[in-house]
Amino acid sequence: MGDHPPECQLPVVDDLTEVDDGLLVYESEALAGAESELRPMQMGAEQHAARLDRALVDLVPEFSRSYLQQLLAQGLVSVNGKPVLKASARVKAGDQVVLEMRPTLQSQAFRPEPMAIDVVYEDAHLLVVNKPSGLVVHPAPGNWSGTLLNGLLARDEKAQLVPRAGIVHRLDKDTSGLMVVARDRVTMDALVALIAARKVQRQYLALAHGSWTGAKARTVDAPIGRDPRNRLRMAVVDLAIHAGKSARTDIRCLDAVNGGCWVQCTLHTGRTHQIRVHMASLKHPLVGDSLYGGAPVEHMQRQALHAYRLAFTHPMTGEALEFHVPLPDDMQQVLSLWGLGYNAP
């Protein structure tokens, strides 16, 4: 089946999501290198009245449902001689199905691509990297190549033996800062467990709009779900009405000027866009974060969010690890422009 590891159902926990939201799967390297393969089959009694995508999983279990759904969407599955595009279409016993298997963008995404990676710490079990803004962590629609995962695969051959090249949490494309990456499966499982148990400390620095008033330290304990008015973003929601999950962020104002503030944020959960949503709920949207009401300023066109501190107990050695990275240049320039002091603890 090639060198890629099998599909992994471990959750990825981060400032984007605490579930396996849109995780890509590893398909066989042999398939990724093939031009096309026709596979005829007949639906049996076990598949009668089943959804087409589920029936295909029964008949070709060596491939993931996600991959088979992609083939359906491309018109590469025919039933009784006619292409069927809908995964939800129902099949009957005796239906003749032809599956044309081709490499998809997803199945070809997990390829090594050499790139510069800022490694803050490395041992036999894990890496800590400083991700720059603009770098996508994991392949996804619109970004099937040039991601941190591709760079990790090129950097270390062992990364191909670990699901998702060892990525256990993610940062948004435009968020910079620290991430921990596993180098073997045992360490990966242990890191996922640490994050799920909230034993990995993650702190961020952010520049936000609005004059800070009141107490310097605040805790926002407000559930987050899809914004019912705009499905492309998240929002604080009422769980009695809308789907969502609990979310907690500790926010401390480090310095402020008229119209802007410099804050430290500590995550206790890892919901999608959690810091961005919670800051916007306080009427302090992040600088450059147009999705949540922020606006760009001179030197700062992306959301002004930086994961500056990461601390955890090494899952293999038991050593207490703590890492800090300096602010990127764009945030430093805005701090100077606004006359704010960099005094993060």
Side-chain angles (χ1 to χ4, degrees), residues 128-152:
V128 175
V129 302
N130 182 19
K131 186 190 86 69
S133 64
L135 178 63
V136 174
V137 169
H138 200 280
N143 294 284
W144 290 116
S145 62
T147 70
L148 177 62
L149 181 145
N150 299 115
L152 291 169

Side-chain angles (χ1 to χ4, degrees), residues 11 32 42 60 72 92 124 138 165 182 190 207 223 227 234 276 325 343:
Q42 179 174 302
V60 281
L72 277 162
K92 301 188 298 293
H138 200 280
L207 282 159
D227 188 336
M234 310 303 288
R276 298 162 65 186
V325 287
N343 59 341

Side-chain angles (χ1 to χ4, degrees), residues 295-310:
V297 300
E298 186 179 354
H299 307 302
M300 198 81 222
Q301 304 302 307
R302 52 111 175 178
Q303 68 225 22
L305 185 61
H306 177 63
Y308 85 101
R309 180 178 178 270
L310 180 69

Side-chain angles (χ1 to χ4, degrees), residues 12-91:
V12 166
V13 188
D14 62 350
D15 70 329
L16 289 181
T17 175
E18 218 170 30
V19 297
D20 53 349
D21 185 16
L23 290 185
L24 303 179
V25 296
Y26 296 81
E27 300 296 348
S28 92
E29 188 174 72
L31 175 61
E35 288 299 321
S36 180
E37 177 188 340
L38 293 177
R39 185 174 297 191
M41 60 195 78
Q42 179 174 302
M43 294 296 166
E46 299 84 356
Q47 288 78 46
H48 184 73
R51 283 172 53 112
L52 177 55
D53 58 344
R54 291 185 182 275
L56 290 173
V57 169
D58 287 345
L59 296 174
V60 281
E62 65 268 35
F63 297 112
S64 71
R65 185 178 173 191
S66 174
Y67 169 73
L68 294 168
Q69 287 173 338
Q70 290 182 72
L71 297 185
L72 277 162
Q74 294 176 52
L76 300 177
V77 179
S78 64
V79 179
N80 300 324
K82 296 181 180 180
V84 178
L85 300 176
K86 291 185 177 180
S88 60
R90 300 290 170 171
V91 297

Side-chain angles (χ1 to χ4, degrees), residues 208-211 218 261 277-286 292:
H209 298 287
S211 302
R218 302 180 189 176
C261 52
V277 171
H278 277 172
M279 287 296 293
S281 74
L282 296 178
K283 309 302 182 186
H284 291 290
L286 300 189
Y292 294 103

Side-chain angles (χ1 to χ4, degrees), residues 163-186:
R164 299 188 301 276
I167 293 170
V168 294
H169 68 125
R170 290 172 288 189
L171 295 176
D172 199 1
K173 174 183 177 181
D174 288 333
T175 299
S176 54
L178 291 166
M179 294 178 56
V180 60
V181 178
R183 300 189 70 194
D184 58 69
R185 180 58 186 265
V186 174

